[in-house]
Amino acid sequence: MSDITRFSVSIESELLDLFDRLITSRGYTNRSEAIRDAIRRQLISREWEDGEEVAGVITLLYDHHRPGLSEELTEIQHHAIPSVISTTHIHLDAQNCLEFIAVRGSGGTIEALADRLKSLRGVKHGELAATSTGKKII
Amino acid sequence: MSDITRFSVSIESELLDLFDRLITSRGYTNRSEAIRDAIRRQLISREWEDGEEVAGVITLLYDHHRPGLSEELTEIQHHAIPSVISTTHIHLDAQNCLEFIAVRGSGGTIEALADRLKSLRGVKHGELAATSTGKKII
Amino acid sequence: MSDITRFSVSIESELLDLFDRLITSRGYTNRSEAIRDAIRRQLISREWEDGEEVAGVITLLYDHHRPGLSEELTEIQHHAIPSVISTTHIHLDAQNCLEFIAVRGSGGTIEALADRLKSLRGVKHGELAATSTGKKII
Amino acid sequence: MSDITRFSVSIESELLDLFDRLITSRGYTNRSEAIRDAIRRQLISREWEDGEEVAGVITLLYDHHRPGLSEELTEIQHHAIPSVISTTHIHLDAQNCLEFIAVRGSGGTIEALADRLKSLRGVKHGELAATSTGKKII
């Protein structure tokens, strides 16, 4: 548990007014929470730049009719333990699958794994969503 | 099933050589596949711009000790059916959770849902990874 | 001139400490200024989303040996008045030019102009840097 | 001068048809040029990742009434020679200035310079647009 502290920000009234309207439209009911979220986003970007242990999700859109593809995806993931935590599979329609692979490790290792999966034939699209393990990001 | 066709690209030899080295380093064994992936990425961006039905994953990092947060996350997701398809939960450590919510619908609806979830107190970080339903993106 | 006001943010001590170290490494000597910059960035993104009058710079890298290209770039820019404010030209080497076009108008108009310039043969790379007219962003 | 070569891409007819419609809407009259542009964009990202000599433009939006700011911006730029090539100044209105600084050097040096300029008080917004010197990107 971390102590809670306070700091104050000086700002032009008009700018604060615009900000309040913006965050309300994005669902915030509390200005401090919107500021903390902006702070956390910057810290998480820095964790990735600095090569610290991070977490993320690799999203793959693929055609499960492609021969051998499901096996190859599974094989690569098994060899990528412990970076790979778990996988969820969604059946989008008769042909298309969406697979989310939860990952954890250094940014470089995770990006290399995502590159390898995205480059397979039959994988139509791949994305890596970067987040944090939350250890430092309180 | 779609017919396969071919088209040819004229390009400076040096540029092609640089491209081949780049895609090899990213895991591609086939130049056509690298070109098709670049094409699909552009088409998926356009699906989001044009408000078509798309798919994606909302990634949330949160502290499950925050009173009422898990209940609120569940409540919001239940009310967001049919945009929400499924949710996967990863226990990162004693305090931190990673939750992936598979979503499907118009880009605007999905972005509004992601905004609402990200703005909750206790949610440390949220990201929306944009992909496609794959219906048009062959 | 706008009045200056103050607001206070409650935050975990550890998170604030991490933020202070981050902004120091990015050149900030003042925490309020770092927060105001984060607020302004969000407001400027919103100006672009909302189709308000914005400003920006289109950066073009091109080969001035390509016959007719310089004339075509000039012609398009003249027809894009009043969106186009001014152009700066840098001679990178015997072959390569960097051109910066200052623009102002609705986001849609500016993006369409940037697309048109980037798609010309001989233009190797184009980028649109999005900023604001500063009218509302105090 | 580089030799021109050709390569062929196999692709689903429907996907090619969608791509042709997309690039036409973005101003392309030639499919090879759209493919070459996609290839160049990937190579330029890699130049930045790999720490090669790159080029770019730092865009600053600032309030020229802020005492001492113009002098400080000039001072920093003079000390950043040879990274700084030239500067263009646009008078947006009675208060707001847009300044574009053409830069060249390693990605790290340029990013550090951009961070320093963006963090100054009175600078409302700063952006770094990344491009290439074009030496390798034919």
Side-chain angles (χ1 to χ4, degrees), chain A residues 88 90 100, chain B residues 62 77 84-89 98-102:
Chain A
T88 305
I90 307 284
F100 316 135
Chain B
Y62 67 91
Q77 292 178 54
V84 169
I85 307 173
S86 85
T87 301
T88 305
H89 187 106
L98 203 53
E99 201 157 294
F100 316 135
I101 308 169

Side-chain angles (χ1 to χ4, degrees), chain B residues 4-73:
Chain B
I4 302 293
T5 183
R6 296 185 82 79
F7 69 94
S8 82
V9 177
S10 65
I11 190 168
E12 293 78 3
S13 309
E14 279 180 60
L15 198 59
L16 183 58
D17 188 50
L18 283 171
F19 183 61
D20 283 344
R21 276 187 261 161
L22 174 67
I23 62 179
T24 300
S25 78
R26 295 216 166 124
Y28 287 98
T29 53
N30 181 290
R31 198 195 282 145
S32 281
E33 177 64 10
I35 296 289
R36 287 192 301 264
D37 274 2
I39 286 175
R40 289 187 201 108
R41 269 195 301 275
Q42 294 183 37
L43 291 171
I44 291 174
S45 298
R46 178 54 73 97
E47 286 188 339
W48 280 78
E49 289 167 20
D50 288 355
E52 296 184 33
E53 195 202 23
V54 290
V57 187
I58 301 169
T59 302
L60 301 175
L61 172 72
Y62 67 91
D63 177 351
H64 71 91
H65 290 136
R66 168 76 55 175
L69 179 58
S70 302
E71 293 75 8
E72 193 164 6
L73 287 172

Side-chain angles (χ1 to χ4, degrees), chain D residues 40-57:
Chain D
R40 288 187 201 109
R41 269 195 301 276
Q42 294 184 38
L43 291 171
I44 291 173
S45 297
R46 179 54 73 96
E47 286 187 340
W48 280 78
E49 289 168 19
D50 287 355
E52 295 184 34
E53 195 202 26
V54 289
V57 186

